[in-house]
């Protein structure tokens, strides 16, 4: 166990003690104890920055299942460190925020912090794992803990719905990711991500390469809420706001992005990878920002905005993969896309976290998050307003905030797409910057909505549940920290450049690390096209925001029926309905139906095998001569068996059955099996007696008249089929005897070895005595069963049976 | 109307010992001639059933105060112990041994542990058959 392992496991360990602390220190908010963990972890990861920026990689291994090559291998490079810092840093802020957000007397804090710590540990494990299976394990841990956190207020129906929806979608993706991981390991013969990256060249030609890409991407897209799997994220907003801020803006939704970035070196050679990520990313960007404008709930706007920003990061990662194909260029311009992705990832975590916290403050202090009810809060909550304004303007991409810089870099990367001549891309490439630009206008609009709708305009106290006032200082500290980061990163972006972004880019594009590259983010880079694009976004954005009431009817054009949520609900209902009706179709509850299935399967499978293998054979060489006695007996048995079918009374059937049994015992006599004949005779007598007993006790109902069995064609066909198949198989197997019987041994040794002359009995008690022992056990169980059934009638007193 | 079963009962008195003897004969002869524990057990219970038919359950229970469930258990125990006995002599489970002895009266005879196993079978079969028949007969 290295320090790095302790870092991953410490939140899990701490989670064990949370309920104890909650129980014994009721006067202190449990969050204060919990706060220690992420703060310590943050300090630990923070002091590793110099190491990774020098290109050092910290790697540790802990044996778990060595025989299956599944070990808890962890390693810390630039990419892992960035995520670890986000997780622990924002984790600390969120816990501090939640201390003031959640009431210590009314809320079940112990469960909340246990879930949150499990989530934090899982997320750390996810980003630090080198082993794909361990990574998958932590991946599912995040899904489960997120499920628990979304359903934290489980008495609310919407919470349960949102939790279930997010669970279904992310677990669908998680399982497909597991499939992808297994295929990857199958191709590269290792679970280690680093070894796979080393082998990336030889993997590309593998036949399952593209399937692996699809499976892995399905996992990443569902987790990171990419179109069309984004629908779970808005419903996950039923979670407490600290959870939304933490999971659904800064950490869990970025797990998919982490996965894409981490596996980028393995897959980036492929055009499929590049275009799927870039295409779905840009589509998500547009759809997310377009849908965000029509929302009226603050958190729903933020949810859609998260979706859209995640799409933006995703598309940048996709374009960054193009860098591999332009290695010869002096200045690799496509690498800039990756830099932009990483930079925006950091920026998004800062401003989205602060926006969620601000939204939580508004909700907490006014009792509603509906922007139609809110208004004029500026005078009551000046600090919250400032925070929101900074966050929203940064999100919109307005200078001097950090969002401006990453948005500029995003546009620059998108313009480069048009110059790309890869993978038969001709004029279609123009679509990307156009969609990106349109999406950004909508981003601008909803950012303005968030910043101004709640704070400006008319103050309507009658719509609010509480009298609004500024939040307590503890609740303001975390968003203030995040908002200051927004400004600091905006003014001094190069603070991050060499310390964090460079090692991350080196991790995402290891092939380029050899070349000397240097990330430099300048706030001002001359009159480039991207600057005019930003100016255009601002102008159009402001214009459209001001005329919002006039054009927002376009959202009514697409009826609710066609929304993806409706589709999801219909799918879930449909699956339930279809499976129910399928089950009802064949599970009739009648034994005769099941017998029909069993016999049909029997006929089909055996008949097909017989036909397929061409196994039918008839060979009369080994057959004995048929004597007159056998003929007579066989005729009697056949007549008897058929007569049972046509017997009118049950008594007749029983007696014919007995006759058939006695005939069988005579057969045994004929074929020289005296033991069998004796046993058969006695057993037949007993069973006929038992049948008569059953017959005698049949209830005398007027409806139960004794009738001949009705003829049913299906039943007749099936029974004839079974008979024919069995006969064919018996004939074939008799004609295909490959080996001599082993009975010669028994004949020789029955007296010599076992001291008996009755070979049957010697076999029963000596050679194969074990069988006999358990057969008498079966008899014993049967007797006790009958005894118990008859004597223990506990169900009904008046039940005479 | 009370029927007079005198003939049946008298015949039973004569027949059932004969059936018993035959059953024991079949049982002991099992190793050399057709028969063995299974058929022997069935015949023995046949004798008891004949008693049941001619008398009533209570009378038979007085004559033969046996709990047949116990007989099943004893039979199983004998069979299992016979198998386990081989383990003591460092032989695999269910290894039988036999030896010839010169016994008084009968003379040169082989004694075989397989007969003990067969005795288990015999008892189980009697116990099972009688438990089933008695239980069904008593139930109303």
């Amino acid at each position: 166990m290295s320090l790095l392992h302790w870092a991953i496991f410490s939140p899990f360990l701490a989670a064990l003690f949370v309920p104890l602390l909650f129980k014994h220190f009721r006067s202190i908010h449990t969050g204060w104890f919990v706060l220690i963990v992420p703060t310590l972890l943050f300090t630990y990861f923070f002091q590793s920055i110099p190491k990774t920026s020098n290109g050092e990689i910290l790697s540790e291994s802990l044996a778990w299942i060595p025989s299956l090559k599944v070990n808890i291998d962890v390693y810390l490079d630039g990419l892992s460190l960035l995520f670890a810092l986000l997780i622990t840093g924002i984790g600390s802020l969120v816990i501090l925020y939640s201390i003031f957000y959640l009431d210590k007397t009314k809320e079940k804090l112990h469960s909340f912090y246990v879930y949150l710590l499990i989530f934090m540990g899982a997320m750390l494990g996810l980003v630090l794992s080198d082993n794909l299976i361990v990574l998958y394990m932590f991946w599912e841990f995040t899904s489960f803990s997120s499920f628990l956190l979304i359903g934290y207020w489980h008495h609310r129906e919407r919470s349960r719905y949102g939790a279930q929806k997010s669970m279904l979608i992310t677990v669908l993706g998680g399982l497909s990711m597991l499939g992808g991981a297994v295929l990857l390991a199958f191709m590269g013969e290792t679970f280690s991500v680093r070894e796979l990256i080393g082998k990336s060249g030889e993997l590309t030609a593998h036949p399952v390469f593209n399937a692996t890409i699809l499976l892995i991407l399905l996992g990443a897209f569902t987790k990171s809420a990419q179109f069309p799997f984004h629908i779970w994220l808005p419903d996950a907003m039923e979670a407490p706001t600290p959870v939304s801020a933490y999971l659904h803006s800064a950490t869990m939704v970025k797990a998919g992005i982490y996965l894409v970035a981490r596996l980028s070196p393995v897959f980036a050679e492929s055009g499929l990878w590049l275009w799927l990520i870039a295409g779905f990313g840009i589509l998500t960007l547009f759809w997310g920002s377009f849908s965000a404008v029509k929302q009226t709930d603050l958190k729903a706007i933020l949810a859609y905005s998260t979706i859209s920003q995640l799409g933006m990061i995703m598309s940048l990662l996709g374009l960054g993969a193009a860098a591999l194909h332009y290695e010869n260029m002096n200045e690799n311009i496509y690498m800039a896309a990756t830099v932009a992705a990483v930079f925006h990832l950091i920026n998004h975590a800062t401003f989205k976290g602060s926006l969620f916290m601000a939204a939580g403050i508004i909700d907490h202090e006014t009792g509603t998050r509906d922007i139609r009810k809110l208004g004029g809060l500026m005078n009551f909550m000046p600090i919250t307003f400032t925070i929101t304004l900074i966050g929203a303007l940064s999100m919109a991409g307005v200078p001097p905030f950090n969002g401006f810089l990453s948005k500029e870099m995003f546009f620059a990367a998108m313009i480069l797409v048009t110059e790309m001549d890869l993978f038969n891309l001709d004029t279609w490439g123009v679509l990307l910057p156009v969609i990106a630009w349109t999406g950004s206008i909508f981003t601008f609009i909803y950012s303005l909505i968030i910043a101004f709708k709640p704070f400006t305009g008319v103050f309507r106290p009658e719509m609010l549940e509480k009298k609004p006032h500024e939040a307590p200082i503890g609740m303001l500290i975390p968003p203030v920290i995040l908002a200051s980061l927004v400004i600091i990163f905006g003014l001094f972006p190069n603070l991050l450049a060499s310390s964090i972004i460079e090692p991350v880019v080196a991790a995402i594009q290891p092939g380029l690390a050899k070349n000397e590259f240097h990330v430099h983010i300048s706030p001002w880079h001359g009159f480039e096209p991207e600057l005019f694009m930003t100016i255009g976004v601002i102008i159009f954005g402001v214009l459209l925001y001001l005329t919002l009431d006039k054009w927002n009817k376009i959202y009514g054009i697409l009826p609710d029926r066609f929304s993806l949520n409706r589709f999801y609900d219909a799918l879930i209902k449909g699956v339930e309905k279809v499976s129910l009706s399928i089950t009802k179709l064949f599970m009739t509850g009648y034994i005769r139906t099941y017998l029909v299935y069993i016999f049909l399967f029997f006929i089909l499978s055996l008949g097909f095998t017989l036909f397929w293998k061409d196994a039918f054979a008839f060979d009369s060489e080994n057959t004995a001569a048929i004597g007159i006695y056998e003929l007579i007996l066989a005729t009697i048995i056949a007549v008897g068996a058929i007569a049972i079918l046509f017997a009118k009374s049950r008594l007749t059937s029983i007696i014919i059955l007995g006759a058939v049994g006695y005939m069988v015992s005579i057969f045994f006599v004929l074929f020289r099996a005296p033991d069998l004949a004796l046993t058969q005779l006695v057993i037949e007598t007993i069973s006929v007696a038992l049948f008569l007993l059953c017959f005698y006790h049949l209830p005398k109902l007027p409806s139960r008249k004794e009738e001949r069995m009705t003829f049913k064609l299906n039943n007749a066909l099936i029974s004839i089929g079974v008979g024919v198949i069995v006969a064919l198989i018996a004939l074939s197997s008799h004609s295909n005897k490959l080996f001599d019987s082993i009975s010669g041994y028994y004949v020789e040794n029955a007296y010599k070895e076992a001291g008996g002359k009755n070979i049957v009995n010697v076999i029963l008690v000596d050679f194969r005595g074990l069988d006999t022992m358990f057969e008498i056990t079966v008899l014993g169980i049967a007797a006790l069963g009958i005894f118990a059934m008859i004597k223990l009638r506990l169900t009904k007193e008046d039940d005479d049976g | 109307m009370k029927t007079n079963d005198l003939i049946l009962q008298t015949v039973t008195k004569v027949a059932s010992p004969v059936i018993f003897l035959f059953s024991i004969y079949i049982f002991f002869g099992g190793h050399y001639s057709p028969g063995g524990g299974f058929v022997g057990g069935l015949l023995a219970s046949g004798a008891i059933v004949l008693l049941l038919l001619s008398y009533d359950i209570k009378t038979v229970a007085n004559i033969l105060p046996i709990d047949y469930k116990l007989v099943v258990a004893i039979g199983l125990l004998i069979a299992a112990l016979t198998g386990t006995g081989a383990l003591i002599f460092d032989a695999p489970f269910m290894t039988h041994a036999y030896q010839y002895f010169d016994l008084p009266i009968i003379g040169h005879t082989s004694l075989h542990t397989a007969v003990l196993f067969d005795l288990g079978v015999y008892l189980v079969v009697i116990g099972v058959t009688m438990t089933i028949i008695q239980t069904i007969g008593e139930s109303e």
Side-chain angles (χ1 to χ4, degrees):
Chain A
M1 289 280 271
S2 64
L3 206 55
L4 212 50
H5 283 110
W6 281 115
I8 296 175
F9 293 127
S10 57
F12 291 106
L13 284 176
L16 288 178
F17 295 100
V18 166
L20 274 179
L21 292 170
F22 177 70
K23 202 178 168 198
H24 293 288
F25 300 94
R26 288 307 287 256
S27 52
I28 309 170
H29 196 286
T30 319
W32 291 113
F33 302 111
V34 179
L35 185 59
I36 303 166
V37 180
T39 328
L40 282 178
L41 287 174
F42 182 76
T43 347
Y44 166 68
F45 284 117
F46 195 78
Q47 46 102 6
S48 318
I49 291 179
K51 281 187 208 156
T52 52
S53 60
N54 288 335
E56 267 180 61
I57 290 176
L58 203 63
S59 119
E60 303 285 351
S61 185
L62 176 69
W64 184 24
I65 318 174
S67 56
L68 296 178
K69 291 194 220 161
V70 177
N71 293 312
I72 306 180
D73 299 330
V74 292
Y75 76 131
L76 187 70
D77 64 350
L79 183 62
S80 309
L81 182 70
L82 166 64
F83 275 89
L85 283 174
L86 282 180
I87 293 159
T88 50
I90 298 191
S92 326
L93 295 178
V94 160
I95 288 173
L96 179 63
Y97 178 79
S98 69
I99 291 172
F100 295 91
Y101 188 84
L102 295 173
D103 194 294
K104 75 176 170 211
T105 48
K106 289 178 197 151
E107 302 284 358
K108 305 181 297 291
L109 290 176
H110 50 309
S111 4
F112 181 79
Y113 286 112
V114 167
Y115 303 157
L116 201 68
L117 280 172
I118 290 174
F119 172 78
M120 188 183 289
M123 213 48 217
L124 276 178
L126 169 61
V127 299
L128 292 172
S129 294
D130 184 43
N131 191 296
L132 282 172
I133 297 299
V134 177
L135 192 146
Y136 170 73
M137 181 185 80
F138 284 120
W139 183 280
E140 291 297 21
F141 262 130
T142 63
S143 293
F144 285 122
S145 48
S146 145
F147 168 76
L148 292 169
L149 282 167
I150 297 171
Y152 174 65
W153 286 312
H154 50 75
H155 48 88
R156 294 189 194 164
E157 201 270 329
R158 291 298 302 172
S159 292
R160 296 198 303 270
Y161 172 78
Q164 188 205 38
K165 193 175 185 178
S166 75
M167 183 75 164
L168 285 176
I169 292 177
T170 53
V171 167
L172 166 82
L175 284 177
S176 101
M177 196 206 106
L178 177 65
V182 170
L183 281 185
L184 253 183
F186 164 68
M187 289 195 294
E189 288 168 352
T190 171
F191 281 120
S192 160
V193 177
R194 270 176 304 166
E195 287 174 32
L196 283 169
I197 290 172
K199 289 182 181 174
S200 66
E202 46 188 284
L203 299 183
T204 328
H206 203 282
V208 296
F209 186 71
N210 282 346
T212 316
I213 288 185
L214 291 177
L215 287 175
I216 294 268
L217 280 188
L218 185 61
F221 283 178
T222 49
K223 198 76 161 178
S224 279
Q226 299 293 296
F227 189 87
F229 307 109
H230 64 274
I231 46 172
W232 66 267
L233 191 59
D235 284 302
M237 290 303 131
E238 294 299 322
T241 303
V243 172
S244 310
Y246 188 40
L247 273 70
H248 307 127
S249 73
T251 50
M252 190 179 91
V253 287
K254 293 201 170 99
I257 285 178
Y258 169 79
L259 190 72
V260 167
R262 178 53 87 204
L263 294 177
S264 208
V266 183
F267 294 114
E269 288 277 347
S270 152
L272 184 68
W273 174 265
L274 195 159
W275 289 119
L276 272 182
I277 297 177
F280 272 96
I282 210 83
L283 188 61
T284 313
L285 161 71
F286 175 75
W287 189 250
S289 53
F290 179 72
S291 311
V293 177
K294 73 171 165 183
Q295 305 302 322
T296 52
D297 179 15
L298 268 180
K299 272 174 91 177
I301 302 178
L302 288 173
Y304 278 104
S305 114
T306 305
I307 292 166
S308 136
Q309 308 278 331
L310 291 170
M312 173 173 159
I313 300 172
M314 207 56 115
S315 67
L316 283 169
L317 281 177
L319 291 183
L324 269 180
H325 300 275
Y326 288 93
E327 276 176 286
N328 300 329
M329 296 170 87
N330 267 351
E331 198 181 344
N332 196 321
I333 40 179
Y334 292 101
M335 193 200 75
T338 312
V339 175
V342 177
F343 189 41
H344 194 71
L345 183 92
I346 304 169
N347 295 344
H348 177 249
T350 53
F351 66 65
K352 193 51 66 63
S354 68
L355 282 175
F356 264 114
M357 290 177 188
I361 291 174
I362 296 174
D363 186 16
H364 205 260
E365 305 307 336
T366 63
T368 180
R369 298 195 306 251
D370 195 332
I371 51 170
R372 287 167 301 190
K373 295 181 186 166
L374 295 165
L377 292 176
M378 198 199 286
N379 297 329
F380 298 96
M381 306 170 136
I383 305 175
T384 315
F385 173 57
T386 319
I387 295 164
T388 315
L389 193 65
I390 293 170
L393 289 182
S394 174
M395 182 157 74
V398 175
F401 306 109
N402 56 6
F404 166 68
L405 300 170
S406 43
K407 191 56 78 66
E408 291 276 273
M409 292 159 80
F410 169 62
F411 284 145
M414 282 297 151
I415 292 168
L416 283 175
V417 179
T418 51
E419 293 169 19
M420 216 186 271
D421 50 2
L422 284 171
F423 311 119
N424 307 323
L425 180 86
D426 298 320
T427 45
W428 289 101
V430 183
L431 270 180
L432 261 73
V434 172
I435 298 174
W437 187 71
T438 331
S440 299
I441 295 178
F442 283 106
T443 308
F444 198 88
I445 300 169
Y446 71 69
S447 300
L448 292 187
I449 292 178
I450 292 173
F452 294 113
K453 277 274 163 77
F455 295 101
T456 58
V458 202
F459 174 57
R460 286 167 295 179
E462 73 281 358
M463 303 282 272
L464 306 177
E465 289 169 22
K466 301 177 185 172
K467 193 173 151 27
H469 57 84
E470 189 57 276
I473 182 79
M475 218 157 157
L476 285 171
I477 291 173
V480 164
I481 293 175
L482 286 172
S484 357
L485 284 178
V486 168
I487 300 176
I488 293 169
F489 292 159
L491 294 177
F492 311 104
N494 288 312
L495 277 179
L496 294 171
S498 64
S499 58
I500 290 182
I501 296 179
E502 271 177 31
V504 177
V505 175
I508 299 178
Q509 302 186 332
L512 302 172
K514 285 166 272 171
N515 315 341
E516 278 297 310
F517 72 96
H518 189 62
V519 173
H520 185 75
I521 303 166
S522 57
W524 176 253
H525 37 260
F527 290 101
E528 296 289 330
E530 54 262 32
L531 184 67
F532 295 110
M533 282 172 86
T534 307
I535 293 171
V537 165
I538 295 176
I539 293 171
F540 275 98
V542 171
L543 278 178
L544 284 174
Y545 173 68
L546 293 175
T547 55
L548 189 60
D549 293 335
K550 298 205 172 58
W551 60 269
N552 66 4
K553 287 179 196 69
I554 61 157
Y555 289 109
I557 294 174
L558 191 70
D560 251 3
R561 251 172 330 121
F562 295 118
S563 76
L564 282 165
N565 278 321
R566 285 296 179 90
F567 176 74
Y568 165 85
D569 290 339
L571 187 76
I572 297 288
K573 263 202 198 118
V575 166
E576 271 177 23
K577 226 185 197 168
V578 168
S579 36
L580 196 69
S581 58
I582 288 177
T583 314
K584 272 189 182 157
L585 195 70
F586 70 92
M587 301 279 278
T588 54
Y590 291 109
I591 289 181
R592 61 169 169 270
T593 326
Y594 303 142
L595 284 178
V596 166
Y597 300 149
I598 294 168
F599 284 131
L600 269 183
F601 181 77
F602 179 88
I603 295 171
L604 290 178
S605 64
L606 290 181
F608 182 74
T609 316
L610 210 58
F611 175 75
W612 186 252
K613 294 276 177 189
D614 203 15
F616 179 70
F618 181 69
D619 180 9
S620 58
E621 231 172 72
N622 279 327
T623 47
I626 304 171
I628 182 77
Y629 298 114
E630 284 102 324
L631 215 60
I632 295 172
L633 278 179
T635 318
I636 297 174
I637 288 182
V639 168
I642 294 168
I644 291 177
L645 295 177
F646 298 98
K648 194 181 172 206
S649 108
R650 291 193 179 84
L651 204 57
T652 326
S653 305
I654 293 168
I655 288 166
I656 298 174
L657 196 66
V660 170
Y662 289 134
M663 287 305 127
V664 170
S665 74
I666 298 181
F667 252 122
F668 287 142
V669 171
L670 264 188
F671 291 151
R672 282 167 233 136
D675 292 272
L676 288 183
L678 271 174
T679 316
Q680 170 71 19
L681 208 65
V682 183
I683 288 293
E684 192 61 39
T685 313
I686 292 179
S687 49
V688 166
L690 288 176
F691 272 126
L692 289 173
L693 184 80
C694 293
F695 169 78
Y696 182 74
H697 283 290
L698 282 175
K700 293 187 177 42
L701 297 175
S703 64
R704 210 181 272 267
K705 264 190 281 178
E706 285 216 278
E707 271 173 1
R708 192 164 285 145
M709 203 165 61
T710 49
F711 179 78
K712 288 202 186 84
L713 188 63
N714 289 344
N715 295 355
L717 286 178
I718 288 170
S719 50
I720 290 169
V722 170
V724 168
I725 286 286
V726 171
L728 287 180
I729 288 176
L731 284 177
S732 312
S733 69
H734 183 262
S735 309
N736 278 323
K737 265 189 189 155
L738 296 180
F739 303 105
D740 288 336
S741 160
I742 56 162
S743 55
Y745 171 84
Y746 292 129
V747 176
E748 271 176 37
N749 291 301
Y751 192 70
K752 236 191 299 177
E753 299 278 332
K757 283 179 184 158
N758 178 356
I759 299 174
V760 175
N761 201 41
V762 168
I763 291 175
L764 281 178
V765 300
D766 201 338
F767 288 125
R768 310 288 307 268
L770 204 64
D771 298 355
T772 312
M773 198 166 109
F774 288 103
E775 272 155 24
I776 55 177
T777 316
V778 168
L779 285 179
I781 292 169
L784 290 182
I786 289 172
F787 179 77
M789 255 185 344
I790 290 177
K791 294 285 175 185
L792 295 175
R793 275 187 220 148
L794 300 174
T795 45
K796 265 189 196 170
E797 281 297 307
D798 54 345
D799 188 17
D800 54 338
Chain B
M1 188 186 92
K2 182 96 169 72
T3 49
N4 194 341
D5 292 338
L6 189 63
I7 299 176
L8 179 63
Q9 289 173 354
T10 317
V11 172
T12 302
K13 277 171 195 164
V14 181
S16 53
V18 177
I19 300 174
F20 257 122
L21 277 178
F22 184 59
S23 128
I24 291 166
Y25 163 75
I26 283 260
F27 165 68
F28 277 114
H31 228 52
Y32 297 97
S33 53
F38 200 83
V39 187
L42 284 175
L43 283 173
S45 35
I48 305 172
V49 170
L50 188 61
L51 286 177
L52 280 174
L53 287 176
S54 7
Y55 302 94
D56 56 327
I57 288 183
K58 271 184 193 160
T59 321
V60 178
N62 279 333
I63 304 168
L64 296 168
I66 302 168
D67 184 356
Y68 291 102
K69 297 188 291 300
L70 212 62
V71 177
V72 177
I74 291 169
L76 281 175
L77 196 68
I78 291 175
L81 284 180
T82 320
T84 331
L87 296 177
I88 300 169
F89 300 101
D90 213 15
F93 184 67
M94 296 263 340
T95 309
H96 291 303
Y98 68 98
Q99 196 56 263
Y100 288 93
F101 295 99
D102 282 313
L103 299 176
I105 307 172
I106 319 173
H108 189 70
T109 323
S110 75
L111 289 183
H112 202 306
T113 51
V115 175
L116 282 176
F117 183 77
D118 231 9
L119 180 67
V121 177
Y122 183 84
L123 290 178
V124 169
V125 171
I126 294 179
V128 166
T129 327
M130 291 322 295
T131 311
I132 294 174
I133 288 169
Q134 229 174 29
T135 318
I136 294 175
E138 279 170 1
S139 77
E140 259 324 309

